[in-house]
Each structure stands twice: as C-alpha cells, then as structure tokens.
Amino acid sequence: MANIPKKARNAVRRAIITSLATVLVAAGGTAFAEIVSSQPAASPSFNGPVHAVAYHGDTVFVGGNFTSAVVNGKAQPRTRLAAFDARTGELRDWKPVADANVRALAVDEGVVYAAGDFDTINGETRDAVAGIGMADGAVTPLRHTVLGQPNAIATGNGRIYLGGRITAVDGVPRANLAAFTAGSGALDPWAPTTDDTVNALAVTPERVYVGGSFHKTNNVRSTLRLAAVNPVTGVLDKGFAPKPVSQVFALAAHAGGVFAALGGQGGRAVSYTPEGQTRWTRVFDGDAQAITLLDDVVYVGGHFDKACTTTNNGARGICTDGSVARGKPAAVDADGNLLEWAPQANGVAGTRQLAASPRLGAVSAVGDFTLVGGASRKRYVEFTGVAPRVERAAVDDVAAYNFDTTIADGTFDDGSGHGHLLRAVTRHGGAPRMIAHDAGQALQFPAKCAGDACPRLILQAQDTADLNPGNKPLRYGAGVLLSPAETGRGENILQKGYSNGGGQYKLQVDGLSGKPSCGISDKTGTTVYVARSRTSVADGKWHSLECRRTGPTLAILVDDRLETVTALPADLSVETDQPFTVGGKGVGQNNDQFHGTLDDVWVQIG
C-alpha cells in the first residue's frame, strides 16, 4: 500500500479473497499448505510451444518455438525468445531472434544462456548454444559447433553445463555432456560421458546431477538414468547411487538431495537423499516432465491428468488404488504428501518445464496448454503468493494510526473509531518528530545511537481486550521508511505482549540487513514462531509490511507480495494484559528501538 495515495490508504484496507496459506488435508497425510495461489496470475500468451522458463529478479525469460507474444489481446513479435515483468506480465523490450526451437535456458551474471535446435541468434551464427545479453539482447562471444541436440543447460562453478544427445563440440568428442568456461566461453575440459540421452541437469557446488535415458555414466553400469559427477573434474560420484525405475526428465537439487521427475508406466516424482536412497515417491497417470521447489513445496508438471493415491499403477499408467484429479501440474509437501493445490490445465503434452522464484514467491509453468484453472493461459502461466484482492472499509480495523491528527494532550488519534489512543513515552529526550508524507505526515523515531543515554521513544496504547486476538485470524502492518544507516540488531515496529506470559504478536526489522519479520507466541508457551522476509526494506524507500495469521500459518507480505509462510499450532492464542506499543517494547535498556519512520500502522482481528 506504500504506493497508494495516503488519503486512499486511510479510507480502505485491502483483504485477500483466498487465504494465502491454509492447512490442506493431503492424500496420504496432512500437510502444511500451498505457497502459491491456484488461480493464474496475469501473464502473456504465446502462439507456439514454450519449452523453457527461467527467473531473474523481477523478470521471466522464456524460450520455445513461438513467433509472437500476446498481452492484453495485442500480439507483439517475439521470435522463440521473450522476457516480461513477473509481476505485471508486461513485455520487456528484449527480443533476440532465434531461427529454430529453444529448448533450455539458464541465467547467470547478466547473461541468458540458451540451448536448442537453432543455427543463428539475431542472424549471427550460434550453433545450438548461445549467450545473450540480459540487458540488450545481443549475443555474447560464446560460439561453438555442437554436433547433436542439446536438451538441458545449467550454470554454476564458473561453468555453463550442457546436456543432451551430443557427440562432439568443435570437433572434439563429447558423449552427451559438455561444459564451457563462463568467463571466456571456451570449451571446458569437463567431459563426463553417458551412453544415451541426457534430459536434465542440476548443479550444486559439490555435484552436477545428470538425468536421462542412459544406462551408464563414465562407463559404469550401476548409474542407470540418474547419476552425480564432480562439477570440476567430471569424475563419477559413487556416493550417489539411486535406482530410478524409468527415464528422468527433470531434476531439482536442494540441500538434502535431489528431486526427480520420471516418465515410464505412469510418471513419478521422487525425492532422493544425497546417497541416492528414496525418501518418497508420488505416482501419476502420465509422465512427470518438470519439477521445481519453493518453500519446502515440490511442484510437479507433466502430461498426467490424475495423481494416484498410492504408489501402485497398472497398464498405461492407470492408478489401481484410486486417484484424484491433477491436470498437468501438482504439488507435494516435503514429506511426499500430495497437496490439494490443483489448477487443472488442458493439453496433451501439458507442462514441459517449471521454474520457481523464492524472491517473488512465484511458480511458472510452460508447455502446450491453453487453459489453466478455466482461464485462458496459452503455453505460459504463473502462480503467485498473493491472490486477487478486494477493498473493504477500514471499519474492520480495531486500531489504525496515520499520525495526521492529534488531540489536545499530544496523543495520536485512532482512526478505526475504537478509541485506542497512542501516547508518547520518552526517555533521554526522545521526542516524536513529524515529517511530510503524501498529503499528511509520518512519525520519525530517534536516530541510531550508542550508549546508555540514547534517546528513546515509543507510542503506547492502554491494554484492552479489543487488541487481543485470542486464536482468531489476525492481520497487522505498517508503512515503513528505513535507510541502511538506520538498521540495528532488532527494531520493533509494533508489539502486543511478551513471549514469557500471555503470548504476543509483533512486527520488527531484524539486523543490519533490514529484513522485516512477523512473530507470534502462545499464551502458555515461550516459543516465538517467526515468518521472516527474504527482501530487505532498508533502501530509503517507503514499503508496506503486513503480518497475517490464518489458522495454523503465519505469513509476511512486503508491498503486497508474499515473502514467507511458517507453520504454527492451530490453537495458538494471544491473550495478554500488556499494552500495545509502536516503535519499541519499552524505553529501558535494549528496548529494540525503531530508528526509521512509520506511517499507517494498523491491526485487524477476525
């Protein structure tokens, strides 16, 4: 809400129609819930298949076999490569031209790396692999002759890794795997081998995971379809010994191992440990072709229509013990439980690739579908953490402070109409300072200071049951202006209660990085459950922060964008007799004094 005129912010409070995070009853267990909405976000459509997708910051890059992108009903030329704003769907002015299909993308250090069937990019010779400037769309010096068809490209460890059905690069023999030095673009000595096609790569500092239809890696027979090799030498990592039952189409590495999407008689999503042992398997009635991870939720895509309720299936992949509808995408929790997230897409080929953005809390899918969740989404769809919104009156707030008006004794008025006035409590000269903001004013707190005699200021409202949420839904937030010079170890924006009795809820900014967090604790316990933003707000700009407790989850939003969701007990209740404070927890030593500027502080219960 920081970008809305202040008068409008004072008149309305936005509510999200669909809960951002709920507990879902899963087939095979109960799991904490979807991070992204099942409703598609606004996005471009494409007039041909999309095979590849990658995020970088707020930008989505796609590649495939299309010649135009459609935004708001208007077609714009984009020849097999395109980029657009992940938040709005607006096309970027980035339009390199590939003369044939783009099968895979990776983004690193300002360069978009593409692999596929093309011979030229922008009319310049680039055989099957190219580097393209992320800013200007111009090709980089990376230029090689690749004999074969690349299917996968990935970056890391100072290299660009390539996988596919490849026999040589620049006349030098390569057996389905190759690499290039990121700095110079030269062919790298890294050259592990497989005896058949590589479909997928996943790179970590310790390993390069390789998946496909091969039977041997580096001529070792026990490396059927999935293996790991050293990212520098290419030597086989014999400490990883999985046994996938069918062809591997996609991989997603993480700290605890790797997730794989498999084809075969019905598709599978499988979680492997770092040793290659199977943690869990989810079975579908068609190939799983794509897989990605976001906040401990595994998103799977393919050309399946159903997810099996057990690991059993029969002829043509039919689930033998029951199934639930999951048309093309599905989601699984960290323990392998199938979640109820089910957007339902059409098409035969379905989802070809998935990508996730932890920064945006978003997941993108590409393929050959044209409808997703009943909405027209031709070959590209994005699911974000913030569902569609409606406005509702500020009367829903139990407390609201815009700092534009005061009453005679200098306290700040409560715009909610509930009469929870804020009065200044100071020490060592920590007086409120008002600064202009939009058409009104905001409240600036004391600057950073070292020593026992530093100015301190909080605003405090009397204790009242109105501000105790119990176990009801709870939302609270504020507009925040904070510079890098104003960050500290911990700075409270607002707080009600303490964790040592009665429970609490609070919003604060943590550490020199300036990342905000929401905290909440139960009336009978001392554990504080925290949802911490991945994004800093210490950049000298106004930001809106919101904390949202819904049943068994706590979420933090920055500028209406979901950052993190954390689980908490469903029966957690805050019932404290402590006062409500803004800007710190008190005026004593170590009071977590806030040092920036606040506006539009609000609390909503129920």
Side-chain angles (χ1 to χ4, degrees):
M1 284 179 286
N3 296 323
I4 306 170
K6 184 167 180 179
K7 183 176 180 181
R9 291 201 307 271
N10 296 340
V12 298
R13 181 67 62 197
R14 295 177 175 182
I16 288 178
I17 295 173
T18 306
S19 170
L20 291 177
T22 56
V23 166
L24 301 179
V25 178
T30 299
F32 288 100
E34 57 185 320
I35 300 302
V36 296
S37 168
S38 60
Q39 297 301 310
S43 61
S45 289
F46 296 88
N47 70 340
V50 182
H51 290 265
V53 57
Y55 279 95
H56 186 275
D58 292 348
T59 300
V60 178
F61 294 91
V62 294
N65 203 20
F66 51 85
T67 57
S68 69
V70 181
V71 178
N72 297 324
K74 182 179 179 180
Q76 300 185 46
R78 291 294 187 275
T79 308
R80 301 182 180 90
L81 289 159
F84 50 91
D85 189 306
R87 300 183 191 279
T88 66
E90 181 180 354
L91 283 174
R92 305 287 197 204
D93 189 24
W94 187 84
K95 39 191 173 186
V97 173
D99 70 337
N101 191 28
V102 175
R103 295 182 177 274
L105 294 174
V107 186
D108 189 45
E109 298 294 331
V111 178
V112 179
Y113 294 100
D117 306 329
F118 50 83
D119 295 314
T120 67
I121 301 287
N122 296 340
E124 298 187 44
T125 301
R126 292 294 186 275
D127 180 18
V129 62
I132 306 165
M134 190 170 65
D136 58 10
V139 292
T140 71
L142 179 71
R143 179 176 173 177
H144 297 277
T145 300
V146 179
L147 187 59
Q149 176 187 290
N151 294 327
I153 193 166
T155 61
N157 308 298
R159 292 171 175 79
I160 304 127
Y161 299 95
L162 196 67
R165 184 177 293 160
I166 301 166
T167 57
V169 178
D170 299 335
V172 180
R174 286 292 185 268
N176 305 312
L177 290 162
F180 310 98
T181 304
S184 65
L187 181 65
D188 194 86
W190 187 85
T193 65
T194 66
D195 66 343
D196 205 341
T197 304
V198 172
N199 296 322
L201 299 169
V203 178
T204 74
E206 296 79 26
R207 287 173 168 171
V208 175
Y209 291 98
V210 180
S213 57
F214 51 84
H215 302 84
K216 293 186 289 185
T217 307
N218 288 358
N219 210 34
V220 176
R221 290 187 178 275
S222 61
T223 56
L224 180 70
R225 304 186 184 100
L226 179 58
V229 296
N230 186 281
V232 177
T233 65
V235 171
L236 180 68
D237 188 335
K238 295 183 179 180
F240 180 69
K243 295 178 174 60
V245 299
S246 54
Q247 181 174 186
V248 175
F249 284 112
L251 296 169
H254 60 104
V258 65
F259 299 111
L262 280 60
Q265 181 177 293
R268 284 166 164 75
V270 185
S271 173
Y272 293 103
T273 69
E275 296 73 38
Q277 298 173 342
T278 300
R279 281 199 184 96
W280 52 257
T281 300
R282 294 304 320 180
V283 176
F284 304 90
D285 69 344
D287 288 349
Q289 302 172 147
I291 199 161
T292 194
L293 176 68
L294 177 65
D295 285 346
D296 294 328
V297 174
V298 182
Y299 295 89
V300 187
H303 61 74
F304 49 81
D305 294 309
K306 296 178 181 178
C308 303
T309 53
T310 71
T311 56
N312 298 323
N313 63 357
R316 299 184 303 279
I318 295 173
C319 303
T320 56
D321 297 333
S323 63
V324 291
R326 292 294 185 275
K328 296 358 182 223
V332 181
D333 76 2
D335 296 318
N337 298 306
L338 184 67
L339 298 178
E340 290 186 354
W341 185 80
Q344 299 298 108
N346 68 346
V348 177
T351 301
R352 294 182 182 273
Q353 196 176 102
L354 292 163
S357 170
R359 179 175 181 270
L360 300 175
V363 172
S364 285
V366 297
D368 288 309
F369 48 80
T370 57
L371 291 173
V372 181
S376 177
R377 292 294 185 275
K378 294 181 179 179
R379 304 171 185 92
Y380 172 84
V381 65
E382 184 178 48
F383 305 99
T384 61
V386 180
R389 301 176 303 198
V390 295
E391 296 179 346
R392 66 186 193 184
V395 70
D396 290 330
D397 297 336
V398 296
Y401 309 99
N402 60 26
F403 307 116
D404 290 345
T405 60
T406 62
I407 59 176
D409 63 356
T411 58
F412 292 95
D413 206 358
D414 174 10
S416 74
H418 289 265
H420 303 310
L421 305 180
L422 287 176
R423 65 181 181 86
V425 180
T426 67
R427 190 174 184 186
H428 302 308
R433 181 186 174 196
M434 310 314 299
I435 66 169
H437 182 212
D438 291 340
Q441 58 187 18
L443 178 65
Q444 189 175 66
F445 285 81
K448 284 179 67 173
C449 168
D452 295 340
C454 290
R456 296 187 182 93
L457 164 68
I458 66 167
L459 305 179
Q460 189 175 80
Q462 291 184 345
D463 173 49
T464 171
D466 288 354
L467 294 174
N468 279 338
N471 59 7
K472 296 177 183 176
L474 169 68
R475 297 173 60 191
Y476 54 95
V480 175
L481 176 65
L482 193 68
S483 74
E486 292 172 330
T487 58
R489 186 184 65 180
E491 300 185 23
N492 277 17
I493 294 171
L494 67 84
Q495 179 167 336
K496 179 77 163 74
Y498 299 99
S499 60
N500 59 0
Q504 71 170 182
Y505 59 89
K506 65 179 179 179
L507 169 61
Q508 66 183 40
V509 178
D510 301 323
L512 298 178
S513 64
K515 296 179 180 180
S517 68
C518 305
I520 192 168
S521 66
D522 186 63
K523 62 182 180 181
T524 60
T526 59
T527 301
V528 179
Y529 300 89
V530 177
R532 181 170 289 108
S533 170
R534 305 178 187 86
T535 304
S536 172
V537 295
D539 57 3
K541 300 177 182 178
W542 279 100
H543 295 278
S544 68
L545 308 183
E546 180 181 343
C547 302
R548 181 172 302 156
R549 182 264 173 95
T550 307
T553 59
L554 178 67
I556 183 168
L557 291 82
V558 176
D559 298 328
D560 290 328
R561 181 184 68 249
L562 180 68
E563 289 285 333
T564 301
V565 176
T566 192
L568 49 84
D571 59 354
L572 182 148
S573 181
V574 180
E575 300 175 22
T576 174
D577 58 5
Q578 297 297 324
F580 176 79
T581 62
V582 175
K585 60 186 178 183
V587 292
Q589 290 289 92
N590 301 318
N591 74 323
D592 294 335
Q593 177 69 61
F594 185 73
H595 298 298
T597 304
L598 297 180
D599 202 353
D600 296 321
V601 177
W602 58 277
V603 179
Q604 190 178 95
I605 295 173

